[in-house]
Amino acid sequence: MAIVGVETGGTSTRVAAADGGRVTLLAQVPTTTPDATLARIADALRGVAPDAVGLAAFGPLDLATGALRATPKPGWSGFGVADAVRDALGAPVTVDTDVNAAALAECRWGAARGFGDAVYVTIGTGLGVGVVHDGRPVHGLPHPEAGHITVRRAPGDDFSGVCPFHGDCLEGLVAAPAVRARTGKDGADLDAAERARLVSALATPIADGLVTLAYACAPRRIILGGGISRLDGLLTAVRREFRARLAGYPGCPEHGDDAFIAPPGLGQRAGIAGALLLAGAASAPRWPPG
Ligand SMILES: [Zn+2]
């Protein structure tokens, strides 16, 4: 049974196919307009006849219809991404958010392996949060959107934030567009002093957001992924701030382990691995391919 995973992330779209235990990454292309992105997905799958497709899509998504809700990404608001993928590939599509899919994959194969309660946070173009509870991704109205919670800032940080909806929500303070607005550069282009200043500005609001997630969702692991999270020194600073902010409450020693806030065990493949899982848990391949 051939299954296909499609991950339409905020920055890039990946397509992978699996047949038995063999997984092939077929394409990684920039996520641009819906039509152009769909065309690249269909191109990558020319000659492949999938039995089932798992779609891990950036949100916010209406999970009942598989259509995007209001998003600042030009051209995508209201777009029926699940229907479009189904029509392009001619196979049934199971859809979830890219971050819920990544959280599922991290529970199955990655840094939360063996746990059914985990939170996956990615900080890149946006800030997405996927939540798995009792082995299942959390859905509701429409699904967790914890990138847009309000957080405390680092002392002296007066950056106004760039979220087009909320200004200084967590995403508006720390995701890639905020880094660009704060520094005039991408994270990778900063010198050591600039990076140290940025890490201090980002660690407090990120850690504050993770404390809220730890208290609200009771995860056994928080996975912290995305390009911004790989800034030199940021993960260490976030762990330190997180422990300070918990202040010993509620007294779970696990919160102090470095493994509690961990980088993705699947690296940048968590989303596409999760898309393959969505395509059919019963027939999901081993990941990573061995
Ligand atoms: Zn916001």
Side-chain angles (χ1 to χ4, degrees):
M1 178 175 170
I3 62 172
V4 161
V6 176
E7 177 195 16
T8 55
T11 308
S12 60
T13 291
R14 293 186 171 98
V15 183
D19 206 339
R22 219 164 62 86
V23 176
T24 312
L25 182 66
L26 297 171
Q28 177 169 339
V29 298
T31 304
T32 54
T33 61
D35 286 350
T37 306
L38 258 293
R40 301 289 289 273
I41 294 169
D43 268 356
L45 287 165
R46 212 164 289 287
V48 178
D51 295 297
V53 178
L55 172 61
F58 72 85
L61 277 176
D62 182 333
L63 288 166
T65 64
L68 270 293
R69 287 179 169 272
T71 167
K73 205 161 173 60
W76 288 86
S77 287
F79 180 66
V81 62
D83 281 353
V85 168
R86 183 198 60 206
D87 292 348
L89 306 185
V93 172
T94 303
V95 64
D96 212 316
T97 64
D98 50 355
V99 279
N100 266 351
L104 275 179
E106 286 291 324
C107 287
R108 179 80 165 255
W109 297 298
R113 188 174 180 157
F115 294 119
D117 301 285
V119 167
Y120 181 93
V121 179
T122 181
I123 314 177
T125 313
L127 194 154
V129 178
V131 180
V132 168
H133 172 64
D134 206 13
R136 293 171 183 275
V138 170
H139 297 164
L141 189 66
H143 48 72
E145 273 294 341
H148 296 272
I149 59 177
T150 301
V151 290
R152 292 194 233 185
R153 298 150 173 272
D157 180 19
D158 60 0
F159 177 62
S160 57
V162 297
C163 174
F165 296 95
H166 316 111
D168 63 350
C169 64
L170 177 56
E171 176 177 293
L173 288 175
V174 309
V179 167
R180 221 166 291 126
R182 283 174 180 276
T183 66
K185 298 178 179 178
D186 288 326
D189 300 331
L190 300 171
D191 66 31
E194 291 169 325
R195 194 164 55 242
R197 274 198 301 278
L198 179 66
V199 163
S200 320
L202 301 191
T204 298
I206 294 169
D208 203 53
L210 299 193
V211 166
T212 296
L213 290 166
Y215 283 152
C217 304
R220 293 180 187 278
R221 288 284 186 275
I222 294 176
I223 317 295
L224 190 56
I228 298 299
S229 72
R230 295 192 291 276
L231 268 177
D232 246 10
L234 184 62
L235 177 59
T236 302
V238 166
R239 284 172 172 153
R240 188 175 56 237
E241 291 283 326
F242 177 81
R243 290 165 195 156
R245 191 75 84 196
L246 286 178
Y249 185 85
C252 301
E254 295 87 344
H255 286 154
D257 292 344
D258 276 354
F260 185 75
I261 302 173
L266 299 172
Q268 296 176 57
R269 301 174 304 177
I272 189 66
L276 288 167
L277 263 183
L278 293 174
S283 59
R286 200 156 56 86
W287 189 278

mmCIF file of all heavy atoms in Angstrom, residues 38 53 55 57 61-68 79-89 91-96:
data_model
loop_
_atom_site.group_PDB
_atom_site.id
_atom_site.type_symbol
_atom_site.label_atom_id
_atom_site.label_comp_id
_atom_site.label_asym_id
_atom_site.label_seq_id
_atom_site.Cartn_x
_atom_site.Cartn_y
_atom_site.Cartn_z
ATOM 1 N N LEU A 38 0.424 23.774 -5.096
ATOM 2 C CA LEU A 38 -0.275 22.553 -5.511
ATOM 3 C C LEU A 38 0.349 21.960 -6.769
ATOM 4 O O LEU A 38 0.497 20.739 -6.895
ATOM 5 C CB LEU A 38 -1.759 22.857 -5.750
ATOM 6 C CG LEU A 38 -2.739 22.434 -4.662
ATOM 7 C CD1 LEU A 38 -2.792 20.913 -4.567
ATOM 8 C CD2 LEU A 38 -2.385 23.010 -3.300
ATOM 9 N N VAL A 53 -3.461 9.670 1.592
ATOM 10 C CA VAL A 53 -2.590 10.845 1.719
ATOM 11 C C VAL A 53 -2.787 11.460 3.106
ATOM 12 O O VAL A 53 -3.922 11.635 3.556
ATOM 13 C CB VAL A 53 -2.929 11.911 0.645
ATOM 14 C CG1 VAL A 53 -2.046 13.148 0.808
ATOM 15 C CG2 VAL A 53 -2.785 11.329 -0.755
ATOM 16 N N LEU A 55 -2.031 14.911 5.142
ATOM 17 C CA LEU A 55 -1.695 16.311 4.870
ATOM 18 C C LEU A 55 -1.476 17.033 6.195
ATOM 19 O O LEU A 55 -2.386 17.120 7.028
ATOM 20 C CB LEU A 55 -2.834 16.972 4.089
ATOM 21 C CG LEU A 55 -2.734 18.492 3.883
ATOM 22 C CD1 LEU A 55 -1.484 18.862 3.083
ATOM 23 C CD2 LEU A 55 -3.992 19.009 3.182
ATOM 24 N N ALA A 57 -0.766 20.561 7.409
ATOM 25 C CA ALA A 57 -0.850 21.891 6.805
ATOM 26 C C ALA A 57 -0.681 22.984 7.852
ATOM 27 O O ALA A 57 -1.126 22.834 8.997
ATOM 28 C CB ALA A 57 -2.208 22.066 6.124
ATOM 29 N N LEU A 61 -6.575 26.050 10.591
ATOM 30 C CA LEU A 61 -7.344 25.188 9.695
ATOM 31 C C LEU A 61 -8.722 24.922 10.279
ATOM 32 O O LEU A 61 -8.848 24.750 11.491
ATOM 33 C CB LEU A 61 -6.676 23.817 9.610
ATOM 34 C CG LEU A 61 -5.519 23.577 8.666
ATOM 35 C CD1 LEU A 61 -5.023 22.156 8.901
ATOM 36 C CD2 LEU A 61 -5.945 23.746 7.217
ATOM 37 N N ASP A 62 -9.729 24.844 9.414
ATOM 38 C CA ASP A 62 -11.000 24.257 9.810
ATOM 39 C C ASP A 62 -10.845 22.762 9.582
ATOM 40 O O ASP A 62 -10.830 22.302 8.436
ATOM 41 C CB ASP A 62 -12.128 24.843 8.952
ATOM 42 C CG ASP A 62 -13.487 24.298 9.361
ATOM 43 O OD1 ASP A 62 -13.532 23.165 9.888
ATOM 44 O OD2 ASP A 62 -14.483 24.991 9.146
ATOM 45 N N LEU A 63 -10.708 21.991 10.659
ATOM 46 C CA LEU A 63 -10.382 20.571 10.493
ATOM 47 C C LEU A 63 -11.568 19.758 9.978
ATOM 48 O O LEU A 63 -11.392 18.642 9.498
ATOM 49 C CB LEU A 63 -9.852 19.994 11.812
ATOM 50 C CG LEU A 63 -8.444 20.507 12.151
ATOM 51 C CD1 LEU A 63 -8.079 20.204 13.598
ATOM 52 C CD2 LEU A 63 -7.406 19.928 11.205
ATOM 53 N N ALA A 64 -12.783 20.323 10.047
ATOM 54 C CA ALA A 64 -13.944 19.614 9.498
ATOM 55 C C ALA A 64 -13.956 19.691 7.974
ATOM 56 O O ALA A 64 -14.379 18.763 7.297
ATOM 57 C CB ALA A 64 -15.234 20.195 10.069
ATOM 58 N N THR A 65 -13.481 20.796 7.417
ATOM 59 C CA THR A 65 -13.539 20.972 5.963
ATOM 60 C C THR A 65 -12.158 20.922 5.314
ATOM 61 O O THR A 65 -12.053 20.801 4.096
ATOM 62 C CB THR A 65 -14.156 22.342 5.615
ATOM 63 O OG1 THR A 65 -13.278 23.362 6.110
ATOM 64 C CG2 THR A 65 -15.531 22.500 6.244
ATOM 65 N N GLY A 66 -11.112 21.041 6.111
ATOM 66 C CA GLY A 66 -9.759 21.063 5.551
ATOM 67 C C GLY A 66 -9.425 22.361 4.838
ATOM 68 O O GLY A 66 -8.545 22.404 3.987
ATOM 69 N N ALA A 67 -10.133 23.436 5.186
ATOM 70 C CA ALA A 67 -9.854 24.744 4.575
ATOM 71 C C ALA A 67 -9.129 25.640 5.579
ATOM 72 O O ALA A 67 -9.338 25.523 6.789
ATOM 73 C CB ALA A 67 -11.156 25.404 4.130
ATOM 74 N N LEU A 68 -8.316 26.541 5.036
ATOM 75 C CA LEU A 68 -7.631 27.502 5.895
ATOM 76 C C LEU A 68 -8.639 28.502 6.448
ATOM 77 O O LEU A 68 -9.579 28.891 5.749
ATOM 78 C CB LEU A 68 -6.571 28.265 5.092
ATOM 79 C CG LEU A 68 -5.131 27.726 5.011
ATOM 80 C CD1 LEU A 68 -4.472 27.793 6.388
ATOM 81 C CD2 LEU A 68 -5.051 26.346 4.436
ATOM 82 N N PHE A 79 -8.736 29.012 1.682
ATOM 83 C CA PHE A 79 -8.392 28.041 0.637
ATOM 84 C C PHE A 79 -8.641 26.611 1.145
ATOM 85 O O PHE A 79 -8.197 26.231 2.222
ATOM 86 C CB PHE A 79 -6.923 28.207 0.226
ATOM 87 C CG PHE A 79 -6.484 27.238 -0.845
ATOM 88 C CD1 PHE A 79 -7.022 27.304 -2.115
ATOM 89 C CD2 PHE A 79 -5.544 26.260 -0.569
ATOM 90 C CE1 PHE A 79 -6.629 26.412 -3.108
ATOM 91 C CE2 PHE A 79 -5.146 25.364 -1.558
ATOM 92 C CZ PHE A 79 -5.686 25.438 -2.821
ATOM 93 N N GLY A 80 -9.340 25.808 0.346
ATOM 94 C CA GLY A 80 -9.646 24.422 0.704
ATOM 95 C C GLY A 80 -8.475 23.509 0.384
ATOM 96 O O GLY A 80 -8.487 22.773 -0.610
ATOM 97 N N VAL A 81 -7.468 23.531 1.242
ATOM 98 C CA VAL A 81 -6.212 22.850 0.916
ATOM 99 C C VAL A 81 -6.393 21.329 0.867
ATOM 100 O O VAL A 81 -5.829 20.655 -0.014
ATOM 101 C CB VAL A 81 -5.082 23.297 1.887
ATOM 102 C CG1 VAL A 81 -5.401 22.939 3.324
ATOM 103 C CG2 VAL A 81 -3.733 22.725 1.474
ATOM 104 N N ALA A 82 -7.205 20.763 1.765
ATOM 105 C CA ALA A 82 -7.375 19.305 1.763
ATOM 106 C C ALA A 82 -8.103 18.847 0.502
ATOM 107 O O ALA A 82 -7.703 17.864 -0.140
ATOM 108 C CB ALA A 82 -8.135 18.858 3.010
ATOM 109 N N ASP A 83 -9.160 19.573 0.105
ATOM 110 C CA ASP A 83 -9.880 19.223 -1.127
ATOM 111 C C ASP A 83 -8.964 19.349 -2.337
ATOM 112 O O ASP A 83 -9.003 18.514 -3.254
ATOM 113 C CB ASP A 83 -11.092 20.143 -1.333
ATOM 114 C CG ASP A 83 -12.268 19.732 -0.462
ATOM 115 O OD1 ASP A 83 -12.183 18.667 0.189
ATOM 116 O OD2 ASP A 83 -13.257 20.482 -0.422
ATOM 117 N N ALA A 84 -8.151 20.399 -2.353
ATOM 118 C CA ALA A 84 -7.267 20.624 -3.498
ATOM 119 C C ALA A 84 -6.241 19.498 -3.615
ATOM 120 O O ALA A 84 -5.953 19.012 -4.718
ATOM 121 C CB ALA A 84 -6.568 21.976 -3.367
ATOM 122 N N VAL A 85 -5.707 19.056 -2.487
ATOM 123 C CA VAL A 85 -4.727 17.951 -2.517
ATOM 124 C C VAL A 85 -5.429 16.654 -2.941
ATOM 125 O O VAL A 85 -4.911 15.884 -3.754
ATOM 126 C CB VAL A 85 -4.031 17.805 -1.143
ATOM 127 C CG1 VAL A 85 -3.244 16.514 -1.055
ATOM 128 C CG2 VAL A 85 -3.115 19.003 -0.892
ATOM 129 N N ARG A 86 -6.642 16.431 -2.421
ATOM 130 C CA ARG A 86 -7.397 15.229 -2.800
ATOM 131 C C ARG A 86 -7.659 15.232 -4.310
ATOM 132 O O ARG A 86 -7.458 14.218 -4.994
ATOM 133 C CB ARG A 86 -8.726 15.184 -2.042
ATOM 134 C CG ARG A 86 -9.543 13.922 -2.311
ATOM 135 C CD ARG A 86 -10.986 14.123 -1.921
ATOM 136 N NE ARG A 86 -11.569 15.231 -2.697
ATOM 137 C CZ ARG A 86 -12.598 15.984 -2.305
ATOM 138 N NH1 ARG A 86 -13.167 15.758 -1.145
ATOM 139 N NH2 ARG A 86 -13.051 16.964 -3.062
ATOM 140 N N ASP A 87 -8.095 16.365 -4.849
ATOM 141 C CA ASP A 87 -8.390 16.430 -6.287
ATOM 142 C C ASP A 87 -7.124 16.256 -7.118
ATOM 143 O O ASP A 87 -7.141 15.623 -8.172
ATOM 144 C CB ASP A 87 -9.057 17.771 -6.627
ATOM 145 C CG ASP A 87 -10.447 17.873 -6.013
ATOM 146 O OD1 ASP A 87 -10.973 16.830 -5.532
ATOM 147 O OD2 ASP A 87 -11.005 18.987 -5.978
ATOM 148 N N ALA A 88 -6.015 16.823 -6.643
ATOM 149 C CA ALA A 88 -4.768 16.733 -7.411
ATOM 150 C C ALA A 88 -4.199 15.320 -7.398
ATOM 151 O O ALA A 88 -3.603 14.874 -8.383
ATOM 152 C CB ALA A 88 -3.741 17.722 -6.852
ATOM 153 N N LEU A 89 -4.369 14.593 -6.287
ATOM 154 C CA LEU A 89 -3.702 13.291 -6.147
ATOM 155 C C LEU A 89 -4.661 12.111 -6.291
ATOM 156 O O LEU A 89 -4.223 10.960 -6.393
ATOM 157 C CB LEU A 89 -2.970 13.209 -4.800
ATOM 158 C CG LEU A 89 -1.982 14.352 -4.514
ATOM 159 C CD1 LEU A 89 -1.225 14.096 -3.221
ATOM 160 C CD2 LEU A 89 -0.998 14.519 -5.673
ATOM 161 N N ALA A 91 -6.772 10.681 -4.169
ATOM 162 C CA ALA A 91 -6.794 9.722 -3.058
ATOM 163 C C ALA A 91 -7.368 10.422 -1.821
ATOM 164 O O ALA A 91 -7.315 11.654 -1.719
ATOM 165 C CB ALA A 91 -5.387 9.222 -2.755
ATOM 166 N N PRO A 92 -7.929 9.639 -0.887
ATOM 167 C CA PRO A 92 -8.473 10.254 0.331
ATOM 168 C C PRO A 92 -7.372 10.927 1.145
ATOM 169 O O PRO A 92 -6.238 10.437 1.197
ATOM 170 C CB PRO A 92 -9.078 9.073 1.097
ATOM 171 C CG PRO A 92 -8.471 7.856 0.503
ATOM 172 C CD PRO A 92 -8.096 8.181 -0.906
ATOM 173 N N VAL A 93 -7.734 12.056 1.756
ATOM 174 C CA VAL A 93 -6.760 12.868 2.491
ATOM 175 C C VAL A 93 -7.172 12.958 3.962
ATOM 176 O O VAL A 93 -8.328 13.231 4.264
ATOM 177 C CB VAL A 93 -6.696 14.297 1.894
ATOM 178 C CG1 VAL A 93 -5.845 15.215 2.768
ATOM 179 C CG2 VAL A 93 -6.134 14.252 0.477
ATOM 180 N N THR A 94 -6.231 12.685 4.843
ATOM 181 C CA THR A 94 -6.433 12.955 6.268
ATOM 182 C C THR A 94 -5.601 14.181 6.615
ATOM 183 O O THR A 94 -4.396 14.202 6.357
ATOM 184 C CB THR A 94 -5.969 11.761 7.129
ATOM 185 O OG1 THR A 94 -6.670 10.608 6.698
ATOM 186 C CG2 THR A 94 -6.244 12.019 8.599
ATOM 187 N N VAL A 95 -6.267 15.183 7.168
ATOM 188 C CA VAL A 95 -5.583 16.457 7.381
ATOM 189 C C VAL A 95 -5.486 16.783 8.867
ATOM 190 O O VAL A 95 -6.370 16.461 9.657
ATOM 191 C CB VAL A 95 -6.309 17.592 6.618
ATOM 192 C CG1 VAL A 95 -7.706 17.822 7.158
ATOM 193 C CG2 VAL A 95 -5.503 18.893 6.651
ATOM 194 N N ASP A 96 -4.364 17.390 9.231
ATOM 195 C CA ASP A 96 -4.220 17.988 10.563
ATOM 196 C C ASP A 96 -3.243 19.144 10.416
ATOM 197 O O ASP A 96 -2.700 19.375 9.330
ATOM 198 C CB ASP A 96 -3.723 16.952 11.587
ATOM 199 C CG ASP A 96 -4.271 17.238 12.991
ATOM 200 O OD1 ASP A 96 -4.271 18.410 13.402
ATOM 201 O OD2 ASP A 96 -4.714 16.288 13.650
#
